[in-house]
Amino acid sequence: MSGEFSEAWRSKVARGVTRSRRWGLAFRASPPLRVGPLNTPEPRHLAGLDLLRCLAIFVVVLFHYPRPQGLETYQMFANFGWTGVELFFVLSGFLIGTQLLEPVSRDEAPDLKRFYLRRSLRILPPYLIVVALYLFVPAWSERPVETPAWRFLTFTQNFGLRLNGFSHAWSLCVEEHFYLVLPLAVLALRKRVRTPQLLVGAAVLLVVGMLLRGVLWQRSFSMLGPDDEGWRGYDTLLYYPTYARLDGLTCGVLLAALRVFRPAAWARWTRGVRAGGLALVGLVFLAGVFWLNEEHFRYLAHTMLAFPLTAVGYAALLVAMSGPTASRLCARLPGVKTFAVLSFTIYLTHKAVQHGVRVFLAPHGMDAFHPATLVGGAVAVLLASLALHYGVERPALRWRSRLESRLVREPAPQAALG
């Protein structure tokens, strides 16, 4: 009996190897990820990514804080804060891409019902609470809300958007479009795309994005002077829309494919000298973006190059921070995991809460950079994000876990058993 089983197993493995050779990288069954000579499995939680998530939310908050005249050094770093959203996109592409590609590596189709359940109950409950605050509690909003409710509810706010209350929800629209398209793309292409095609497709997507932004800039902004009113439409056309912000998501998905389908290569590049070299490369790319930001902000070179350079720079840092050494070090840093967990609720609440603190303290002679305003704003944002996390996000995640367990217990449809 055991001999028959072994023979059947060897036959099955041989068929799997034949299929993987025929389909290429994107569909090769891969062993568990390995790190180190002891052949121990890579931890599922990469603590180094928590530190990157903390960095992302910090620079985003810095970007949204007032930038008064006379503080040139602060303004330079605050102006660079827009890249925090690009870091969030790289992280999202990597983590969501890994979730969807791991079943493919086992020659299975992703479970879309479970995927959309998980994403919906992760994003929607806290998001809808904050949308309701903006729409029905005018004192909450940092600016008047001009966006109609249906645009928030359909995640179409980022098209034709101009700065107003809760305008920073545009990035969640991009994320939702990504959640819709990527699973369907994986299902459609999982038995048709090979490694070279995957790489070429990603490169084409990045180049098309650069060219599209360049063409739109030439048509709408090439004739404007530095102080022309026409620049007000720049963000509407070239910053908020999904078609302009695919660079980070694309780089993140490519890293997910490397981790899932080339675990040995992933392990090599996340350790030792290679990881340090990648971190240095990432910082060089980001330094180039910093220079573009200061010298060519919103002009053609910045418009075409800043997004892909930022995405590649943060992607290199992500690989460097995914190794076991970085994860062990970051796991020991106090508060990193907590702030990483709270990053979403901080993102949702920080603009309105900090604005409320500034408005409250301004009559007492405390401006935006008064110590009491800075500390009070930070504490208020932390308290608001904790309230939203424990009052809404955590209960929704517990409900999600119960629903997931029911899905697992459900018998498979008869058609799927054949």
Side-chain angles (χ1 to χ4, degrees), residues 6 212 262 371:
S6 299
L212 177 61
R262 286 289 186 268

Side-chain angles (χ1 to χ4, degrees), residues 86-405:
E86 202 68 25
L87 176 52
F88 275 127
F89 287 156
V90 174
L91 287 164
S92 182
F94 176 70
L95 297 171
I96 299 302
T98 299
Q99 290 179 23
L100 293 169
L101 293 175
E102 280 184 339
V104 175
S105 73
R106 301 188 297 268
D107 198 18
E108 300 171 3
D111 186 344
L112 295 195
K113 181 188 293 188
R114 186 183 181 195
F115 174 80
Y116 287 122
L117 170 69
R118 290 181 62 82
R119 288 293 91 200
S120 297
L121 291 179
R122 173 71 177 86
I123 300 295
L124 291 180
Y127 170 73
L128 292 177
I129 291 295
V130 175
V131 167
L133 289 173
Y134 271 100
L135 293 177
F136 301 117
V137 184
W140 167 268
S141 181
E142 71 278 1
R143 292 172 179 266
V145 179
E146 301 172 1
T147 303
W150 69 268
R151 299 287 298 277
F152 288 115
L153 299 178
T154 58
F155 292 98
T156 55
Q157 174 219 22
N158 65 321
F159 294 106
L161 174 65
R162 291 186 179 274
L163 188 64
N164 68 97
F166 204 26
S167 58
H168 56 293
W170 69 268
S171 64
L172 303 181
C173 299
V174 177
E175 291 270 0
E176 292 298 319
H177 303 159
F178 172 65
Y179 298 154
L180 176 64
V181 171
L182 183 65
L184 301 179
V186 170
L187 276 181
L189 301 176
R190 69 189 184 96
K191 294 185 178 180
R192 297 177 175 85
V193 175
R194 299 186 179 186
T195 307
Q197 296 167 325
L198 183 67
L199 296 174
V200 169
V204 167
L205 194 59
L206 293 177
V207 171
V208 167
M210 293 170 58
L211 295 177
L212 177 61
R213 288 190 295 267
V215 169
L216 292 175
W217 189 93
Q218 288 283 6
R219 293 178 59 181
S220 302
F221 305 103
S222 60
M223 303 300 293
L224 297 180
D227 300 319
D228 287 348
E229 286 292 316
W231 288 108
R232 292 182 179 273
Y234 182 93
D235 289 345
T236 301
L237 187 63
L238 292 169
Y239 185 80
Y240 299 133
T242 303
Y243 59 74
R245 303 309 299 267
L246 298 178
D247 309 79
L249 294 167
T250 301
C251 289
V253 173
L254 275 180
L255 294 184
L258 174 65
R259 184 190 183 197
V260 171
F261 299 114
R262 286 289 186 268
W266 175 264
R268 286 195 303 271
W269 283 100
T270 55
R271 291 188 296 169
V273 175
R274 288 188 177 93
L278 279 177
L280 181 60
V281 169
L283 293 175
V284 169
F285 272 79
L286 294 174
V289 176
F290 190 89
W291 177 79
L292 283 172
N293 224 47
E294 290 304 305
E295 300 297 327
H296 302 280
F297 184 63
R298 289 189 171 178
Y299 283 92
L300 182 60
H302 180 273
T303 300
M304 293 184 66
L305 298 176
F307 296 125
L309 290 178
T310 302
V312 172
Y314 280 133
L317 287 182
L318 188 151
V319 177
M321 296 298 292
S322 297
T325 302
S327 289
R328 283 195 299 270
L329 291 175
C330 292
R332 297 171 183 169
L333 295 176
V336 167
K337 187 173 182 179
T338 299
F339 278 98
V341 169
L342 294 176
S343 61
F344 181 50
T345 52
I346 291 174
Y347 186 81
L348 291 174
T349 59
H350 72 279
K351 286 180 73 173
V353 171
Q354 287 186 327
H355 172 75
V357 170
R358 293 195 299 270
V359 169
F360 178 77
L361 294 179
H364 303 283
M366 303 177 191
D367 63 11
F369 284 87
H370 191 281
T373 307
L374 293 172
V375 174
V379 171
V381 169
L382 180 59
L383 292 175
S385 63
L386 284 168
L388 190 59
H389 174 69
Y390 283 102
V392 178
E393 193 174 29
R394 287 282 290 273
L397 294 178
R398 287 195 293 268
W399 185 34
R400 184 182 77 176
S401 297
R402 291 195 292 270
L403 292 176
E404 277 190 283
S405 64

